Amino acid sequence: MALTYQQSKLVRDTIPALKEHGERITSIFYKTMLTDHPELNNYFNSVNQKNGRQPRALTAVILGFASNINHLSELVPKFERMCNKHCSLGIQPEHYEVVGKYLIQAFGEVLGPAMTPEVQTAWTKAYWMLAKMLIGREAQLYRDFESWPSWRPFKIDRIVNECDDLYTFYLVPQDGKRLPKFLPGQYVSVQIQVPGGNLQSRQYSLSEAWREDYYRITIRRDEGTVYSNSVSKSFFNPGIVSNYLIDQTTVGSILQVSHPAGEFFLDVHNTSTVPLVLISAGVGVTPMVSIANTVMESQPSRQIAWIHGCRKHIPFEDHIKTLRKKNSNFQTKIFKTVINSTDRPGETYDYNERMDLAKLKPEELHLQHGGTEYFICGPEQFMVNQKLYLMQQGVSASRIKCEIFTTGDLSVVVQLPANDALAVRSTSTSTRLSSKSTIPTYQEAGSHNRDHRSGGGGWGRKEGDTYKQRRRGWMGKCGA
């Protein structure tokens, strides 16, 4: 049931105070909830708890929902991303009961006397409007997962060091049963028991087209935030799960793996032949390999341009060379910042610099085609920069999909004259951009590393399900 006018006003009137004390709210919330329910530590990313990203993201979601409670359509992609993440972690309806209780308590402690019984009732009702929307969508996803709604044991069959600190894991189901199909670009969660600690889960993109007998993920070592001076170097909040998988597991180790999920993907049910442009940097290459392999197998005549940025080594370099040799419709452009003695321009790299799409010809980005689809994956600022460039060239935001490895959202703000501004809005970014601006400033509310990740961009759906149908489904859940 929707809020009454008076209840909506009570919620809106308290939002400024809650935003002002957002850090305090989340500190109170997590401290009291996890003290009373220590078992919930198994669901929360301990690294993001320490660096504050997860608490900030939760507050942003709740207050963002309340601020837009009568205009929820713009929040639907964000909710879709949340629901996919929740289902990959095994979040259940009863967890919303616990979160709601401690969240409203935290609001009350911050608001003090302003948290009247009427305000508490209004906020409780608003929270449950959001919760029921998410629970309903998650129930749909769990039904899609069929006989695999929780964790499933997989054995590590093979480990390959792709380059530097990037490792590929081939995972086979311990029960030997056929694996369900997934959409290229999606991820799985991997859960481990941290020595002397709680269960911890992280999401990793599937880095291969669907195979019925194994899944493949590719993981980068996460050293954490680097601090250095003239005499020493230190690392803060290194990745727990990624580093454990690389350093502590071997062939034959058993891992708990979730059903594939995620809303960043290529819709294989749409047999469109429009060109694809894949833009990646670093470990962002992983979902692109899955997309490229899938298209090369199912639509070999479809044109694909892959633009990648790296420092010294290109992940899956030999495989990418093979794709290029086998099919003239697959073209690549490589930006490399560190050139070694074996590198050859035009063969192992094209540009000795950071990625700059302006260096490419319009036809190399298929800008002349009004339907070209663009997929971008890499560090957050990298994705923002590439997306903004494409939009400056006339590409609509609906044709650009970004994979956001974050617990929250990335907020980008560029100050411009009103008559020289381009409004940019996506599932994760809201920006004003001038054609004269090349390096936007930004505020980060999450992390781009997959040991801290969430998702972003695109729509999770079944064959025949359209954007409008999915949006109507979400709006129906909130009574809009």
Side-chain angles (χ1 to χ4, degrees):
M1 183 180 297
L3 295 178
T4 66
Y5 171 80
Q6 185 60 30
Q7 287 173 329
S8 295
K9 186 175 185 303
L10 289 172
V11 167
R12 288 196 304 271
D13 289 347
T14 54
I15 287 175
L18 294 173
K19 284 185 175 179
E20 182 181 352
H21 299 285
E23 294 284 337
R24 187 177 167 215
I25 289 171
T26 51
S27 176
I28 295 168
F29 165 72
Y30 279 104
K31 181 179 180 180
T32 55
M33 183 181 70
L34 295 178
T35 297
D36 293 349
H37 295 272
E39 72 279 2
L40 293 182
N41 282 294
N42 293 328
Y43 293 91
F44 289 104
N45 184 320
S46 61
V47 173
N48 282 339
Q49 286 290 306
K50 292 177 181 178
N51 62 31
R53 286 171 177 146
Q54 197 159 42
R56 288 195 299 270
L58 174 65
T59 304
V61 167
I62 299 297
L63 298 182
F65 170 77
S67 299
N68 295 277
I69 205 161
N70 295 318
H71 306 282
L72 293 177
S73 60
E74 291 188 6
L75 298 178
V76 169
K78 182 187 294 184
F79 293 161
E80 183 72 9
R81 176 157 59 97
M82 288 175 59
C83 289
N84 275 268
K85 175 74 174 294
H86 285 176
C87 289
S88 79
L89 295 171
I91 299 298
Q92 298 298 324
E94 56 266 27
H95 295 133
Y96 285 91
E97 293 271 1
V98 178
V99 169
K101 172 185 174 181
Y102 290 93
L103 186 65
I104 299 302
Q105 284 182 8
F107 282 4
E109 189 165 337
V110 167
L111 291 175
M115 188 66 154
T116 64
E118 292 77 15
V119 171
Q120 181 174 340
T121 298
W123 265 111
T124 300
K125 192 173 181 180
Y127 169 80
W128 277 107
M129 284 180 63
L130 172 60
K132 287 178 180 178
M133 289 175 61
L134 301 179
I135 290 170
R137 175 59 181 139
E138 287 159 20
Q140 292 177 339
L141 290 172
Y142 280 129
R143 284 195 294 271
D144 292 345
F145 291 178
E146 296 177 342
S147 60
W148 184 4
S150 184
W151 301 102
R152 183 174 174 181
F154 277 67
K155 181 177 70 174
I156 299 177
D157 186 62
R158 185 154 55 106
I159 302 175
V160 177
N161 182 199
E162 299 292 347
C163 63
D164 297 329
D165 282 334
L166 200 66
Y167 295 81
T168 288
F169 291 73
Y170 290 78
L171 309 176
V172 298
Q174 197 172 30
D175 58 18
K177 294 181 179 179
R178 186 174 185 267
L179 292 171
K181 291 185 177 181
F182 59 85
L183 296 169
Q186 290 188 308
Y187 58 79
V188 294
S189 285
V190 175
Q191 185 183 74
I192 65 166
Q193 177 70 58
V194 177
N198 300 292
L199 295 172
Q200 286 286 284
S201 307
R202 300 293 185 271
Q203 293 71 48
Y204 300 102
S205 291
L206 291 151
S207 59
E208 173 62 289
W210 173 75
R211 303 288 183 251
E212 66 177 20
D213 56 343
Y214 72 90
Y215 284 160
R216 189 176 80 175
I217 59 176
T218 303
I219 302 172
R220 181 185 62 186
R221 184 183 300 282
D222 181 5
E223 295 181 329
T225 303
V226 181
Y227 171 79
S228 61
N229 55 32
S230 59
V231 294
S232 67
K233 179 186 292 187
S234 302
F235 299 91
F236 297 96
N237 299 322
I240 294 173
V241 179
S242 296
N243 295 349
Y244 177 90
L245 292 172
I246 292 170
D247 295 330
Q248 303 298 323
T249 63
T250 60
V251 171
S253 295
I254 302 299
L255 303 177
Q256 298 298 319
V257 179
S258 75
H259 190 287
E263 69 300 324
F264 174 84
F265 59 79
L266 175 70
D267 184 359
V268 297
H269 303 308
N270 181 351
T271 56
S272 170
T273 58
V274 300
L276 286 177
V277 177
L278 311 178
I279 303 171
S280 58
V283 76
V285 70
T286 54
M288 304 309 190
V289 175
S290 179
I291 293 173
N293 287 355
T294 301
V295 174
M296 288 294 97
E297 293 174 9
S298 61
Q299 294 180 289
S301 61
R302 192 170 185 178
Q303 291 182 303
I304 297 182
W306 189 340
I307 298 95
H308 184 71
C310 62
R311 290 188 70 252
K312 296 179 180 178
H313 304 291
I314 306 167
F316 303 102
E317 183 173 15
D318 290 340
H319 176 68
I320 293 171
K321 287 180 180 178
T322 299
L323 290 180
R324 195 170 54 208
K325 289 179 181 179
K326 283 185 176 181
N327 194 327
S328 61
N329 291 317
F330 183 84
Q331 298 294 320
T332 64
K333 291 295 177 182
I334 304 298
F335 288 80
K336 212 172 188 181
T337 56
V338 179
I339 303 301
N340 59 53
S341 58
T342 60
D343 278 318
R344 296 177 299 279
E347 292 186 36
T348 60
Y349 74 98
D350 297 284
Y351 299 94
N352 179 205
E353 59 184 288
R354 289 179 178 272
M355 186 178 293
D356 181 1
L357 295 183
K359 299 286 185 181
L360 303 180
K361 299 176 182 177
E363 57 268 27
E364 292 174 330
L365 288 170
H366 296 283
L367 292 172
Q368 76 283 4
H369 196 295
T372 302
E373 294 182 62
Y374 298 85
F375 290 80
I376 309 176
C377 191
E380 288 169 334
Q381 190 60 61
F382 166 86
M383 292 189 289
V384 168
N385 291 343
Q386 311 320 314
K387 180 169 184 173
L388 296 185
Y389 175 80
L390 291 173
M391 295 188 72
Q392 284 181 313
Q393 309 312 305
V395 179
S396 64
S398 63
R399 292 193 283 128
I400 306 172
K401 299 177 177 65
C402 297
E403 169 72 305
I404 307 299
F405 308 158
T406 178
T407 311
D409 277 340
L410 184 68
S411 175
V412 182
V413 180
V414 181
Q415 300 298 331
L416 302 166
N419 61 354
D420 189 28
L422 172 69
V424 179
R425 184 175 295 278
S426 73
T427 60
S428 59
T429 305
S430 180
T431 308
R432 290 184 66 78
L433 170 75
S434 163
S435 58
K436 300 176 183 177
S437 302
T438 57
I439 304 178
T441 60
Y442 72 103
Q443 297 172 332
E444 188 181 51
S447 167
H448 66 266
N449 194 304
R450 286 190 175 273
D451 212 353
H452 316 260
R453 99 174 274 272
S454 186
W459 282 94
R461 58 187 172 93
K462 291 183 176 180
E463 184 172 4
D465 197 6
T466 66
Y467 171 89
K468 290 182 179 179
Q469 289 170 337
R470 179 65 66 211
R471 182 183 177 279
R472 284 198 297 270
W474 272 107
M475 294 300 98
K477 290 181 178 63
C478 63

